[in-house]
Amino acid sequence: MKVTFLPLTVDAARRIGARPLLDQAVRTDRAAAECWTALLAGCGNAARRDLGPQLRRLSEATSMQVGSRWWFAEGAGHRKRVAGAQENLEEAIADGDGQEFALAFVGYDHAMASAVVCANSVQARKVGEHRA
């Protein structure tokens, strides 16, 4: 399976065996590809409107995967990065700016994958073990 817009997120979900997150990331990647096509064609079709809800579903799937306790405590910085990157993407979609869209997606993918990887590394630590 080849993903274009969320390669880091898909890889992170695959590596930790997070099937629901992986499935949502793949659906979001497909929606992003459709939106990208619409942006390049200058269309105002449903693909542009459908990506925002897909992004929100991916954020929710990430929250479920990492656990709300981590997401709202130790992972709050990651959650804020994801929210900011999502906002940048939604602005790029609204503006119809393909270049802004591509750059924003790189940031979004990195923010999502970082959250998944960091949360997983925290959960892998033994109880009482501290960071170096």
Side-chain angles (χ1 to χ4, degrees):
M1 145 186 45
K2 181 168 176 16
V3 292
T4 307
F5 291 93
L6 293 167
L8 300 174
T9 303
V10 166
D11 184 59
R14 185 179 292 131
R15 286 179 186 263
I16 65 169
R19 190 66 190 186
L21 178 59
L22 177 60
D23 291 345
Q24 185 58 51
V26 169
R27 282 191 294 274
T28 303
D29 192 83
R30 281 191 213 121
E34 291 173 11
C35 184
W36 174 251
T37 301
L39 286 173
L40 292 179
C43 299
N45 67 10
R48 287 177 62 178
R49 290 186 303 274
D50 292 345
L51 183 55
Q54 281 290 1
L55 295 170
R56 286 186 285 286
R57 284 191 282 278
L58 181 55
S59 292
E60 290 169 11
T62 301
S63 173
M64 297 289 287
Q65 177 60 42
V66 302
S68 39
R69 184 178 201 178
W70 183 86
W71 193 237
F72 288 98
E74 187 175 346
H78 289 284
R79 182 176 44 80
K80 290 174 185 174
R81 276 187 60 217
V82 167
Q86 185 173 325
E87 186 177 312
N88 291 341
L89 264 172
E90 290 175 352
E91 286 176 20
I93 294 165
D95 294 346
D97 187 331
Q99 182 177 358
E100 184 182 337
F101 177 86
L103 290 172
F105 235 104
V106 169
Y108 180 78
D109 184 34
H110 185 264
M112 292 297 285
S114 295
V116 172
V117 168
C118 288
N120 191 55
S121 67
V122 167
Q123 293 169 358
R125 275 191 228 125
K126 296 177 184 169
V127 174
E129 189 175 279
H130 299 283
R131 288 186 189 158

mmCIF file with all atom_site columns, all heavy atoms in Angstrom, residues 89-113:
data_model
loop_
_atom_site.group_PDB
_atom_site.id
_atom_site.type_symbol
_atom_site.label_atom_id
_atom_site.label_alt_id
_atom_site.label_comp_id
_atom_site.label_asym_id
_atom_site.label_entity_id
_atom_site.label_seq_id
_atom_site.pdbx_PDB_ins_code
_atom_site.Cartn_x
_atom_site.Cartn_y
_atom_site.Cartn_z
_atom_site.occupancy
_atom_site.B_iso_or_equiv
_atom_site.pdbx_formal_charge
_atom_site.auth_seq_id
_atom_site.auth_comp_id
_atom_site.auth_asym_id
_atom_site.auth_atom_id
_atom_site.pdbx_PDB_model_num
ATOM 1   N N   . LEU A 1 89  ? -3.741  23.177 7.762  1.00 0.00 ? 89  LEU A N   1
ATOM 2   C CA  . LEU A 1 89  ? -4.262  22.428 6.622  1.00 0.00 ? 89  LEU A CA  1
ATOM 3   C C   . LEU A 1 89  ? -5.639  22.929 6.211  1.00 0.00 ? 89  LEU A C   1
ATOM 4   O O   . LEU A 1 89  ? -5.918  23.115 5.021  1.00 0.00 ? 89  LEU A O   1
ATOM 5   C CB  . LEU A 1 89  ? -4.373  20.944 6.984  1.00 0.00 ? 89  LEU A CB  1
ATOM 6   C CG  . LEU A 1 89  ? -3.231  20.067 6.569  1.00 0.00 ? 89  LEU A CG  1
ATOM 7   C CD1 . LEU A 1 89  ? -3.385  18.679 7.153  1.00 0.00 ? 89  LEU A CD1 1
ATOM 8   C CD2 . LEU A 1 89  ? -3.125  19.999 5.073  1.00 0.00 ? 89  LEU A CD2 1
ATOM 9   N N   . GLU A 1 90  ? -6.492  23.127 7.179  1.00 0.00 ? 90  GLU A N   1
ATOM 10  C CA  . GLU A 1 90  ? -7.845  23.587 6.879  1.00 0.00 ? 90  GLU A CA  1
ATOM 11  C C   . GLU A 1 90  ? -7.825  24.979 6.238  1.00 0.00 ? 90  GLU A C   1
ATOM 12  O O   . GLU A 1 90  ? -8.618  25.263 5.348  1.00 0.00 ? 90  GLU A O   1
ATOM 13  C CB  . GLU A 1 90  ? -8.718  23.521 8.127  1.00 0.00 ? 90  GLU A CB  1
ATOM 14  C CG  . GLU A 1 90  ? -9.003  22.070 8.517  1.00 0.00 ? 90  GLU A CG  1
ATOM 15  C CD  . GLU A 1 90  ? -9.757  21.902 9.814  1.00 0.00 ? 90  GLU A CD  1
ATOM 16  O OE1 . GLU A 1 90  ? -9.962  22.892 10.553 1.00 0.00 ? 90  GLU A OE1 1
ATOM 17  O OE2 . GLU A 1 90  ? -10.132 20.756 10.114 1.00 0.00 ? 90  GLU A OE2 1
ATOM 18  N N   . GLU A 1 91  ? -6.884  25.825 6.670  1.00 0.00 ? 91  GLU A N   1
ATOM 19  C CA  . GLU A 1 91  ? -6.741  27.146 6.042  1.00 0.00 ? 91  GLU A CA  1
ATOM 20  C C   . GLU A 1 91  ? -6.271  27.009 4.596  1.00 0.00 ? 91  GLU A C   1
ATOM 21  O O   . GLU A 1 91  ? -6.758  27.715 3.701  1.00 0.00 ? 91  GLU A O   1
ATOM 22  C CB  . GLU A 1 91  ? -5.750  28.003 6.822  1.00 0.00 ? 91  GLU A CB  1
ATOM 23  C CG  . GLU A 1 91  ? -6.291  28.532 8.128  1.00 0.00 ? 91  GLU A CG  1
ATOM 24  C CD  . GLU A 1 91  ? -5.235  29.303 8.925  1.00 0.00 ? 91  GLU A CD  1
ATOM 25  O OE1 . GLU A 1 91  ? -4.232  29.755 8.332  1.00 0.00 ? 91  GLU A OE1 1
ATOM 26  O OE2 . GLU A 1 91  ? -5.428  29.436 10.141 1.00 0.00 ? 91  GLU A OE2 1
ATOM 27  N N   . ALA A 1 92  ? -5.330  26.112 4.348  1.00 0.00 ? 92  ALA A N   1
ATOM 28  C CA  . ALA A 1 92  ? -4.832  25.894 2.986  1.00 0.00 ? 92  ALA A CA  1
ATOM 29  C C   . ALA A 1 92  ? -5.941  25.380 2.075  1.00 0.00 ? 92  ALA A C   1
ATOM 30  O O   . ALA A 1 92  ? -6.046  25.802 0.915  1.00 0.00 ? 92  ALA A O   1
ATOM 31  C CB  . ALA A 1 92  ? -3.660  24.917 3.000  1.00 0.00 ? 92  ALA A CB  1
ATOM 32  N N   . ILE A 1 93  ? -6.774  24.509 2.604  1.00 0.00 ? 93  ILE A N   1
ATOM 33  C CA  . ILE A 1 93  ? -7.900  23.990 1.820  1.00 0.00 ? 93  ILE A CA  1
ATOM 34  C C   . ILE A 1 93  ? -8.863  25.123 1.497  1.00 0.00 ? 93  ILE A C   1
ATOM 35  O O   . ILE A 1 93  ? -9.295  25.283 0.355  1.00 0.00 ? 93  ILE A O   1
ATOM 36  C CB  . ILE A 1 93  ? -8.620  22.854 2.577  1.00 0.00 ? 93  ILE A CB  1
ATOM 37  C CG1 . ILE A 1 93  ? -7.689  21.655 2.725  1.00 0.00 ? 93  ILE A CG1 1
ATOM 38  C CG2 . ILE A 1 93  ? -9.900  22.457 1.859  1.00 0.00 ? 93  ILE A CG2 1
ATOM 39  C CD1 . ILE A 1 93  ? -8.166  20.634 3.746  1.00 0.00 ? 93  ILE A CD1 1
ATOM 40  N N   . ALA A 1 94  ? -9.189  25.928 2.509  1.00 0.00 ? 94  ALA A N   1
ATOM 41  C CA  . ALA A 1 94  ? -10.116 27.047 2.302  1.00 0.00 ? 94  ALA A CA  1
ATOM 42  C C   . ALA A 1 94  ? -9.567  28.050 1.298  1.00 0.00 ? 94  ALA A C   1
ATOM 43  O O   . ALA A 1 94  ? -10.302 28.591 0.472  1.00 0.00 ? 94  ALA A O   1
ATOM 44  C CB  . ALA A 1 94  ? -10.416 27.735 3.630  1.00 0.00 ? 94  ALA A CB  1
ATOM 45  N N   . ASP A 1 95  ? -8.241  28.277 1.357  1.00 0.00 ? 95  ASP A N   1
ATOM 46  C CA  . ASP A 1 95  ? -7.606  29.221 0.431  1.00 0.00 ? 95  ASP A CA  1
ATOM 47  C C   . ASP A 1 95  ? -7.429  28.639 -0.964 1.00 0.00 ? 95  ASP A C   1
ATOM 48  O O   . ASP A 1 95  ? -7.161  29.379 -1.912 1.00 0.00 ? 95  ASP A O   1
ATOM 49  C CB  . ASP A 1 95  ? -6.222  29.646 0.955  1.00 0.00 ? 95  ASP A CB  1
ATOM 50  C CG  . ASP A 1 95  ? -6.304  30.450 2.235  1.00 0.00 ? 95  ASP A CG  1
ATOM 51  O OD1 . ASP A 1 95  ? -7.405  30.916 2.595  1.00 0.00 ? 95  ASP A OD1 1
ATOM 52  O OD2 . ASP A 1 95  ? -5.248  30.605 2.889  1.00 0.00 ? 95  ASP A OD2 1
ATOM 53  N N   . GLY A 1 96  ? -7.516  27.309 -1.074 1.00 0.00 ? 96  GLY A N   1
ATOM 54  C CA  . GLY A 1 96  ? -7.296  26.663 -2.366 1.00 0.00 ? 96  GLY A CA  1
ATOM 55  C C   . GLY A 1 96  ? -5.845  26.718 -2.811 1.00 0.00 ? 96  GLY A C   1
ATOM 56  O O   . GLY A 1 96  ? -5.548  26.661 -3.994 1.00 0.00 ? 96  GLY A O   1
ATOM 57  N N   . ASP A 1 97  ? -4.939  26.796 -1.852 1.00 0.00 ? 97  ASP A N   1
ATOM 58  C CA  . ASP A 1 97  ? -3.516  26.941 -2.134 1.00 0.00 ? 97  ASP A CA  1
ATOM 59  C C   . ASP A 1 97  ? -2.822  25.587 -2.062 1.00 0.00 ? 97  ASP A C   1
ATOM 60  O O   . ASP A 1 97  ? -2.587  25.044 -0.978 1.00 0.00 ? 97  ASP A O   1
ATOM 61  C CB  . ASP A 1 97  ? -2.904  27.914 -1.118 1.00 0.00 ? 97  ASP A CB  1
ATOM 62  C CG  . ASP A 1 97  ? -1.463  28.270 -1.426 1.00 0.00 ? 97  ASP A CG  1
ATOM 63  O OD1 . ASP A 1 97  ? -0.745  27.444 -2.016 1.00 0.00 ? 97  ASP A OD1 1
ATOM 64  O OD2 . ASP A 1 97  ? -1.060  29.387 -1.062 1.00 0.00 ? 97  ASP A OD2 1
ATOM 65  N N   . GLY A 1 98  ? -2.468  25.038 -3.223 1.00 0.00 ? 98  GLY A N   1
ATOM 66  C CA  . GLY A 1 98  ? -1.838  23.726 -3.287 1.00 0.00 ? 98  GLY A CA  1
ATOM 67  C C   . GLY A 1 98  ? -0.493  23.662 -2.613 1.00 0.00 ? 98  GLY A C   1
ATOM 68  O O   . GLY A 1 98  ? -0.168  22.684 -1.933 1.00 0.00 ? 98  GLY A O   1
ATOM 69  N N   . GLN A 1 99  ? 0.330   24.694 -2.778 1.00 0.00 ? 99  GLN A N   1
ATOM 70  C CA  . GLN A 1 99  ? 1.650   24.701 -2.164 1.00 0.00 ? 99  GLN A CA  1
ATOM 71  C C   . GLN A 1 99  ? 1.529   24.757 -0.641 1.00 0.00 ? 99  GLN A C   1
ATOM 72  O O   . GLN A 1 99  ? 2.209   24.019 0.081  1.00 0.00 ? 99  GLN A O   1
ATOM 73  C CB  . GLN A 1 99  ? 2.481   25.873 -2.659 1.00 0.00 ? 99  GLN A CB  1
ATOM 74  C CG  . GLN A 1 99  ? 3.879   25.897 -2.069 1.00 0.00 ? 99  GLN A CG  1
ATOM 75  C CD  . GLN A 1 99  ? 4.721   27.041 -2.622 1.00 0.00 ? 99  GLN A CD  1
ATOM 76  O OE1 . GLN A 1 99  ? 4.288   27.804 -3.472 1.00 0.00 ? 99  GLN A OE1 1
ATOM 77  N NE2 . GLN A 1 99  ? 5.928   27.155 -2.130 1.00 0.00 ? 99  GLN A NE2 1
ATOM 78  N N   . GLU A 1 100 ? 0.669   25.612 -0.154 1.00 0.00 ? 100 GLU A N   1
ATOM 79  C CA  . GLU A 1 100 ? 0.434   25.723 1.288  1.00 0.00 ? 100 GLU A CA  1
ATOM 80  C C   . GLU A 1 100 ? -0.106  24.394 1.833  1.00 0.00 ? 100 GLU A C   1
ATOM 81  O O   . GLU A 1 100 ? 0.284   23.941 2.911  1.00 0.00 ? 100 GLU A O   1
ATOM 82  C CB  . GLU A 1 100 ? -0.561  26.852 1.559  1.00 0.00 ? 100 GLU A CB  1
ATOM 83  C CG  . GLU A 1 100 ? -0.808  27.134 3.019  1.00 0.00 ? 100 GLU A CG  1
ATOM 84  C CD  . GLU A 1 100 ? -1.832  28.232 3.220  1.00 0.00 ? 100 GLU A CD  1
ATOM 85  O OE1 . GLU A 1 100 ? -2.047  29.070 2.318  1.00 0.00 ? 100 GLU A OE1 1
ATOM 86  O OE2 . GLU A 1 100 ? -2.442  28.237 4.310  1.00 0.00 ? 100 GLU A OE2 1
ATOM 87  N N   . PHE A 1 101 ? -0.980  23.756 1.054  1.00 0.00 ? 101 PHE A N   1
ATOM 88  C CA  . PHE A 1 101 ? -1.548  22.468 1.433  1.00 0.00 ? 101 PHE A CA  1
ATOM 89  C C   . PHE A 1 101 ? -0.447  21.421 1.591  1.00 0.00 ? 101 PHE A C   1
ATOM 90  O O   . PHE A 1 101 ? -0.379  20.707 2.597  1.00 0.00 ? 101 PHE A O   1
ATOM 91  C CB  . PHE A 1 101 ? -2.549  22.026 0.360  1.00 0.00 ? 101 PHE A CB  1
ATOM 92  C CG  . PHE A 1 101 ? -3.160  20.670 0.583  1.00 0.00 ? 101 PHE A CG  1
ATOM 93  C CD1 . PHE A 1 101 ? -4.287  20.516 1.376  1.00 0.00 ? 101 PHE A CD1 1
ATOM 94  C CD2 . PHE A 1 101 ? -2.633  19.546 -0.033 1.00 0.00 ? 101 PHE A CD2 1
ATOM 95  C CE1 . PHE A 1 101 ? -4.866  19.273 1.559  1.00 0.00 ? 101 PHE A CE1 1
ATOM 96  C CE2 . PHE A 1 101 ? -3.202  18.297 0.140  1.00 0.00 ? 101 PHE A CE2 1
ATOM 97  C CZ  . PHE A 1 101 ? -4.321  18.159 0.945  1.00 0.00 ? 101 PHE A CZ  1
ATOM 98  N N   . ALA A 1 102 ? 0.434   21.329 0.613  1.00 0.00 ? 102 ALA A N   1
ATOM 99  C CA  . ALA A 1 102 ? 1.517   20.336 0.647  1.00 0.00 ? 102 ALA A CA  1
ATOM 100 C C   . ALA A 1 102 ? 2.433   20.570 1.850  1.00 0.00 ? 102 ALA A C   1
ATOM 101 O O   . ALA A 1 102 ? 2.778   19.627 2.570  1.00 0.00 ? 102 ALA A O   1
ATOM 102 C CB  . ALA A 1 102 ? 2.307   20.378 -0.657 1.00 0.00 ? 102 ALA A CB  1
ATOM 103 N N   . LEU A 1 103 ? 2.798   21.806 2.085  1.00 0.00 ? 103 LEU A N   1
ATOM 104 C CA  . LEU A 1 103 ? 3.666   22.116 3.226  1.00 0.00 ? 103 LEU A CA  1
ATOM 105 C C   . LEU A 1 103 ? 2.965   21.838 4.555  1.00 0.00 ? 103 LEU A C   1
ATOM 106 O O   . LEU A 1 103 ? 3.574   21.305 5.483  1.00 0.00 ? 103 LEU A O   1
ATOM 107 C CB  . LEU A 1 103 ? 4.115   23.571 3.164  1.00 0.00 ? 103 LEU A CB  1
ATOM 108 C CG  . LEU A 1 103 ? 5.106   23.911 2.051  1.00 0.00 ? 103 LEU A CG  1
ATOM 109 C CD1 . LEU A 1 103 ? 5.316   25.410 1.960  1.00 0.00 ? 103 LEU A CD1 1
ATOM 110 C CD2 . LEU A 1 103 ? 6.424   23.181 2.260  1.00 0.00 ? 103 LEU A CD2 1
ATOM 111 N N   . ALA A 1 104 ? 1.703   22.190 4.623  1.00 0.00 ? 104 ALA A N   1
ATOM 112 C CA  . ALA A 1 104 ? 0.953   21.957 5.861  1.00 0.00 ? 104 ALA A CA  1
ATOM 113 C C   . ALA A 1 104 ? 0.806   20.463 6.137  1.00 0.00 ? 104 ALA A C   1
ATOM 114 O O   . ALA A 1 104 ? 0.850   20.034 7.289  1.00 0.00 ? 104 ALA A O   1
ATOM 115 C CB  . ALA A 1 104 ? -0.418  22.631 5.787  1.00 0.00 ? 104 ALA A CB  1
ATOM 116 N N   . PHE A 1 105 ? 0.664   19.669 5.078  1.00 0.00 ? 105 PHE A N   1
ATOM 117 C CA  . PHE A 1 105 ? 0.514   18.237 5.290  1.00 0.00 ? 105 PHE A CA  1
ATOM 118 C C   . PHE A 1 105 ? 1.793   17.605 5.816  1.00 0.00 ? 105 PHE A C   1
ATOM 119 O O   . PHE A 1 105 ? 1.752   16.672 6.624  1.00 0.00 ? 105 PHE A O   1
ATOM 120 C CB  . PHE A 1 105 ? 0.053   17.513 4.020  1.00 0.00 ? 105 PHE A CB  1
ATOM 121 C CG  . PHE A 1 105 ? -1.186  16.711 4.265  1.00 0.00 ? 105 PHE A CG  1
ATOM 122 C CD1 . PHE A 1 105 ? -2.405  17.152 3.822  1.00 0.00 ? 105 PHE A CD1 1
ATOM 123 C CD2 . PHE A 1 105 ? -1.131  15.533 4.996  1.00 0.00 ? 105 PHE A CD2 1
ATOM 124 C CE1 . PHE A 1 105 ? -3.561  16.429 4.093  1.00 0.00 ? 105 PHE A CE1 1
ATOM 125 C CE2 . PHE A 1 105 ? -2.264  14.803 5.273  1.00 0.00 ? 105 PHE A CE2 1
ATOM 126 C CZ  . PHE A 1 105 ? -3.484  15.249 4.827  1.00 0.00 ? 105 PHE A CZ  1
ATOM 127 N N   . VAL A 1 106 ? 2.929   18.115 5.396  1.00 0.00 ? 106 VAL A N   1
ATOM 128 C CA  . VAL A 1 106 ? 4.198   17.607 5.927  1.00 0.00 ? 106 VAL A CA  1
ATOM 129 C C   . VAL A 1 106 ? 4.239   17.835 7.437  1.00 0.00 ? 106 VAL A C   1
ATOM 130 O O   . VAL A 1 106 ? 4.591   16.934 8.210  1.00 0.00 ? 106 VAL A O   1
ATOM 131 C CB  . VAL A 1 106 ? 5.403   18.279 5.228  1.00 0.00 ? 106 VAL A CB  1
ATOM 132 C CG1 . VAL A 1 106 ? 6.702   17.971 5.953  1.00 0.00 ? 106 VAL A CG1 1
ATOM 133 C CG2 . VAL A 1 106 ? 5.481   17.858 3.769  1.00 0.00 ? 106 VAL A CG2 1
ATOM 134 N N   . GLY A 1 107 ? 3.860   19.024 7.862  1.00 0.00 ? 107 GLY A N   1
ATOM 135 C CA  . GLY A 1 107 ? 3.839   19.328 9.293  1.00 0.00 ? 107 GLY A CA  1
ATOM 136 C C   . GLY A 1 107 ? 2.829   18.491 10.050 1.00 0.00 ? 107 GLY A C   1
ATOM 137 O O   . GLY A 1 107 ? 3.099   18.021 11.165 1.00 0.00 ? 107 GLY A O   1
ATOM 138 N N   . TYR A 1 108 ? 1.678   18.279 9.454  1.00 0.00 ? 108 TYR A N   1
ATOM 139 C CA  . TYR A 1 108 ? 0.628   17.479 10.096 1.00 0.00 ? 108 TYR A CA  1
ATOM 140 C C   . TYR A 1 108 ? 1.084   16.027 10.256 1.00 0.00 ? 108 TYR A C   1
ATOM 141 O O   . TYR A 1 108 ? 0.951   15.436 11.326 1.00 0.00 ? 108 TYR A O   1
ATOM 142 C CB  . TYR A 1 108 ? -0.654  17.561 9.268  1.00 0.00 ? 108 TYR A CB  1
ATOM 143 C CG  . TYR A 1 108 ? -1.798  16.773 9.850  1.00 0.00 ? 108 TYR A CG  1
ATOM 144 C CD1 . TYR A 1 108 ? -2.528  17.264 10.931 1.00 0.00 ? 108 TYR A CD1 1
ATOM 145 C CD2 . TYR A 1 108 ? -2.161  15.539 9.321  1.00 0.00 ? 108 TYR A CD2 1
ATOM 146 C CE1 . TYR A 1 108 ? -3.580  16.546 11.465 1.00 0.00 ? 108 TYR A CE1 1
ATOM 147 C CE2 . TYR A 1 108 ? -3.215  14.818 9.850  1.00 0.00 ? 108 TYR A CE2 1
ATOM 148 C CZ  . TYR A 1 108 ? -3.921  15.328 10.924 1.00 0.00 ? 108 TYR A CZ  1
ATOM 149 O OH  . TYR A 1 108 ? -4.961  14.610 11.460 1.00 0.00 ? 108 TYR A OH  1
ATOM 150 N N   . ASP A 1 109 ? 1.641   15.461 9.200  1.00 0.00 ? 109 ASP A N   1
ATOM 151 C CA  . ASP A 1 109 ? 2.115   14.084 9.249  1.00 0.00 ? 109 ASP A CA  1
ATOM 152 C C   . ASP A 1 109 ? 3.189   13.925 10.322 1.00 0.00 ? 109 ASP A C   1
ATOM 153 O O   . ASP A 1 109 ? 3.160   12.980 11.112 1.00 0.00 ? 109 ASP A O   1
ATOM 154 C CB  . ASP A 1 109 ? 2.646   13.657 7.873  1.00 0.00 ? 109 ASP A CB  1
ATOM 155 C CG  . ASP A 1 109 ? 3.067   12.195 7.826  1.00 0.00 ? 109 ASP A CG  1
ATOM 156 O OD1 . ASP A 1 109 ? 2.439   11.353 8.509  1.00 0.00 ? 109 ASP A OD1 1
ATOM 157 O OD2 . ASP A 1 109 ? 4.011   11.888 7.076  1.00 0.00 ? 109 ASP A OD2 1
ATOM 158 N N   . HIS A 1 110 ? 4.113   14.865 10.368 1.00 0.00 ? 110 HIS A N   1
ATOM 159 C CA  . HIS A 1 110 ? 5.180   14.795 11.370 1.00 0.00 ? 110 HIS A CA  1
ATOM 160 C C   . HIS A 1 110 ? 4.606   14.903 12.783 1.00 0.00 ? 110 HIS A C   1
ATOM 161 O O   . HIS A 1 110 ? 5.014   14.159 13.686 1.00 0.00 ? 110 HIS A O   1
ATOM 162 C CB  . HIS A 1 110 ? 6.212   15.895 11.121 1.00 0.00 ? 110 HIS A CB  1
ATOM 163 C CG  . HIS A 1 110 ? 7.383   15.802 12.025 1.00 0.00 ? 110 HIS A CG  1
ATOM 164 N ND1 . HIS A 1 110 ? 7.471   16.529 13.183 1.00 0.00 ? 110 HIS A ND1 1
ATOM 165 C CD2 . HIS A 1 110 ? 8.504   15.039 11.954 1.00 0.00 ? 110 HIS A CD2 1
ATOM 166 C CE1 . HIS A 1 110 ? 8.606   16.229 13.796 1.00 0.00 ? 110 HIS A CE1 1
ATOM 167 N NE2 . HIS A 1 110 ? 9.252   15.324 13.077 1.00 0.00 ? 110 HIS A NE2 1
ATOM 168 N N   . ALA A 1 111 ? 3.669   15.813 12.990 1.00 0.00 ? 111 ALA A N   1
ATOM 169 C CA  . ALA A 1 111 ? 3.067   15.991 14.312 1.00 0.00 ? 111 ALA A CA  1
ATOM 170 C C   . ALA A 1 111 ? 2.324   14.731 14.750 1.00 0.00 ? 111 ALA A C   1
ATOM 171 O O   . ALA A 1 111 ? 2.461   14.282 15.902 1.00 0.00 ? 111 ALA A O   1
ATOM 172 C CB  . ALA A 1 111 ? 2.124   17.194 14.314 1.00 0.00 ? 111 ALA A CB  1
ATOM 173 N N   . MET A 1 112 ? 1.552   14.137 13.841 1.00 0.00 ? 112 MET A N   1
ATOM 174 C CA  . MET A 1 112 ? 0.793   12.925 14.174 1.00 0.00 ? 112 MET A CA  1
ATOM 175 C C   . MET A 1 112 ? 1.732   11.773 14.500 1.00 0.00 ? 112 MET A C   1
ATOM 176 O O   . MET A 1 112 ? 1.569   11.089 15.512 1.00 0.00 ? 112 MET A O   1
ATOM 177 C CB  . MET A 1 112 ? -0.119  12.536 13.012 1.00 0.00 ? 112 MET A CB  1
ATOM 178 C CG  . MET A 1 112 ? -1.253  13.495 12.771 1.00 0.00 ? 112 MET A CG  1
ATOM 179 S SD  . MET A 1 112 ? -2.391  13.581 14.157 1.00 0.00 ? 112 MET A SD  1
ATOM 180 C CE  . MET A 1 112 ? -3.244  12.042 13.949 1.00 0.00 ? 112 MET A CE  1
ATOM 181 N N   . ALA A 1 113 ? 2.702   11.533 13.629 1.00 0.00 ? 113 ALA A N   1
ATOM 182 C CA  . ALA A 1 113 ? 3.627   10.416 13.837 1.00 0.00 ? 113 ALA A CA  1
ATOM 183 C C   . ALA A 1 113 ? 4.425   10.598 15.121 1.00 0.00 ? 113 ALA A C   1
ATOM 184 O O   . ALA A 1 113 ? 4.640   9.640  15.871 1.00 0.00 ? 113 ALA A O   1
ATOM 185 C CB  . ALA A 1 113 ? 4.553   10.275 12.637 1.00 0.00 ? 113 ALA A CB  1
#
